């Protein structure tokens, strides 16, 4: 096969775009998991506070 420079460049750009999308998804997932953990911690603190006040 004989690839042109444009074909190689296009493949390279496509690969980079895919990597960027995966990276964004990974960061978003980490953020969502982190915020979920934070919400769970706050809920636990609220439950403890209610239990102590009874």
């Amino acid at each position: 096969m004989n690839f042109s420079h444009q074909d190689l460049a296009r493949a390279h750009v496509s690969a980079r775009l895919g990597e960027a999308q995966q990276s964004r998804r990974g960061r978003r997932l980490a953020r969502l998991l982190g915020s979920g953990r934070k919400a769970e911690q706050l809920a636990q603190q609220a439950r403890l506070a209610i239990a102590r006040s009874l």
Side-chain angles (χ1 to χ4, degrees):
M1 281 188 173
N2 189 8
F3 294 108
S4 71
H5 290 293
Q6 287 179 342
D7 291 335
L8 292 172
R10 203 173 293 120
H12 184 72
V13 168
S14 179
R16 289 286 178 212
L17 285 173
E19 290 171 7
Q21 287 174 340
Q22 284 182 332
S23 178
R24 279 193 298 270
R25 277 189 221 116
R27 283 194 300 269
R28 182 170 182 243
L29 179 59
R31 241 188 351 264
L32 289 172
L33 290 174
S35 65
R37 268 189 243 115
K38 182 71 171 174
E40 184 56 38
Q41 288 173 345
L42 292 174
Q44 180 64 28
Q45 289 173 1
R47 286 192 294 270
L48 287 172
I50 291 170
R52 286 185 192 122
S53 68
L54 295 178

